[in-house]
Amino acid sequence: MLQEKRITIAVDGYSSCGKSTLAKALAKSLGYVFIDSGAMYRGVTLYCMRQQLIQHSKPQVDLIEKELHNIRLTFEFNEASASSDLFLNGENVEKLIRMPDVAANVSKIATIKSVRHKLVEEQRAIGQDGGIVMDGRDIGSVVFPDAELKLFVTAAPEIRAQRRKKELEEKGVIISLDEVIANLMERDMIDSTRAESPLIQVEDAIVIDTTELTREEQLLKALELVEAAACRS
Ligand code: DC
């Protein structure tokens, strides 16, 4: 589809609702840049774990703040997976940041104000010229409040858990459905109740419920919304 204006598309929602899959497909179809902002929070979390800045499951906020200037996150396109890999200080950490130990800590790291401040600034810099699809929790509310299109992706809880389990199994991680559900519930709670930019559905976001839609149907629906948004802007 030819778009005259390269708009900004914010895709928010809870974990494992299909946000990234939809955002990635949308970006590919439009020839836009796709940024998985959750990967950036995961990258900071991995750094903190490696530097022992999380003690007994508690992030050492003061120490983490002092370390932030040493954390350099970049994305590089990976031809094989047709998406961008996250690099932490020059090291490809795309696989490591998806592991359950990082997933178990990331929501806590994402509550830290200085971490959010750093990453929001970097996300805005990446998206300053439009032509971007960014997925996360605060993209429509904080990162790009003026985005021409804001999507809020939802899915039934059991579908989310099954998708997450399958995703992990494809990466060689064997985990029970109960463990997956517990992690998703814990993350939902932390993400939506934290003081700093909690996950909310902003008024001007359009909901896409992926429970009963195939990937193709989700993409078609999103593309229609893009066309309408591009015409309005
Ligand atoms: O989308 P994800 O599951 O990879 O995100 C990992 C964590 O990062 C999730 O618990 C919430 C947090 N996050 C956030 O607070 N803000 C964002 N824009 C993206 C992710």
Side-chain angles (χ1 to χ4, degrees):
M1 186 198 303
L2 269 184
Q3 295 293 326
E4 280 188 7
K5 183 172 178 212
R6 292 169 64 78
I7 65 170
T8 298
I9 304 172
V11 183
D12 289 301
Y14 291 101
S15 310
S16 304
C17 283
K19 289 187 311 290
S20 290
T21 307
L22 174 60
K24 204 184 289 179
L26 196 51
K28 188 174 174 208
S29 169
L30 295 166
Y32 281 18
V33 171
F34 162 65
I35 296 291
D36 168 5
S37 68
M40 300 170 79
Y41 288 92
R42 287 169 182 264
V44 172
T45 303
L46 178 64
Y47 181 91
C48 292
M49 289 165 65
R50 285 175 165 177
Q51 300 294 320
Q52 327 241 298
L53 299 173
I54 303 174
Q55 301 281 338
H56 309 294
S57 310
K58 278 204 162 160
Q60 307 298 295
V61 177
D62 292 349
L63 297 178
I64 292 172
E65 275 175 13
K66 289 197 190 105
E67 277 294 315
L68 284 180
H69 68 282
N70 287 323
I71 304 178
R72 195 169 50 85
L73 300 171
T74 46
F75 286 98
E76 254 179 54
F77 194 72
N78 178 335
E79 297 285 346
S81 64
S83 71
S84 294
D85 288 350
L86 184 80
F87 283 67
L88 168 61
N89 295 335
E91 174 193 353
N92 187 335
V93 292
E94 185 57 35
K95 280 213 176 84
L96 288 175
I97 60 167
R98 309 288 164 193
M99 292 295 142
D101 54 347
V102 174
N105 284 304
V106 63
S107 288
K108 287 172 221 148
I109 295 295
T111 62
I112 302 171
K113 193 173 180 174
S114 52
V115 170
R116 301 205 70 84
H117 188 79
K118 170 187 168 76
L119 297 189
V120 167
E121 261 189 15
E122 292 179 10
Q123 289 153 6
R124 286 185 180 147
I126 298 171
Q128 63 186 350
D129 298 326
I132 187 161
V133 185
M134 190 176 289
D135 89 82
R137 305 293 189 288
D138 60 342
I139 310 304
S141 57
V142 175
V143 181
F144 300 127
D146 298 328
E148 287 89 347
L149 179 61
K150 298 178 186 177
L151 302 176
F152 193 86
V153 183
T154 62
E158 58 276 16
I159 295 286
R160 293 172 59 201
Q162 279 160 12
R163 283 184 188 152
R164 180 78 190 129
K165 186 170 186 290
K166 188 164 169 260
E167 223 174 78
L168 286 168
E169 280 170 0
E170 280 165 8
K171 292 183 179 120
V173 179
I174 302 304
I175 187 166
S176 74
L177 198 61
D178 285 349
E179 272 178 277
V180 176
I181 291 171
N183 177 253
L184 285 181
M185 281 173 59
E186 193 194 1
R187 283 206 281 157
D188 284 1
M189 203 268 290
I190 300 177
D191 292 348
S192 53
T193 58
R194 68 180 175 226
E196 273 307 309
S197 34
L199 168 64
I200 49 161
Q201 182 192 324
V202 288
E203 241 175 49
D204 51 345
I206 299 169
V207 176
I208 296 190
D209 184 342
T210 65
T211 309
E212 306 218 329
L213 297 179
T214 64
R215 289 183 178 189
E216 291 72 27
E217 287 166 341
Q218 294 168 33
L219 177 61
L220 276 180
K221 188 168 179 159
L223 285 170
E224 281 170 18
L225 295 170
V226 171
E227 202 161 313
C231 287
R232 277 196 306 272
S233 63

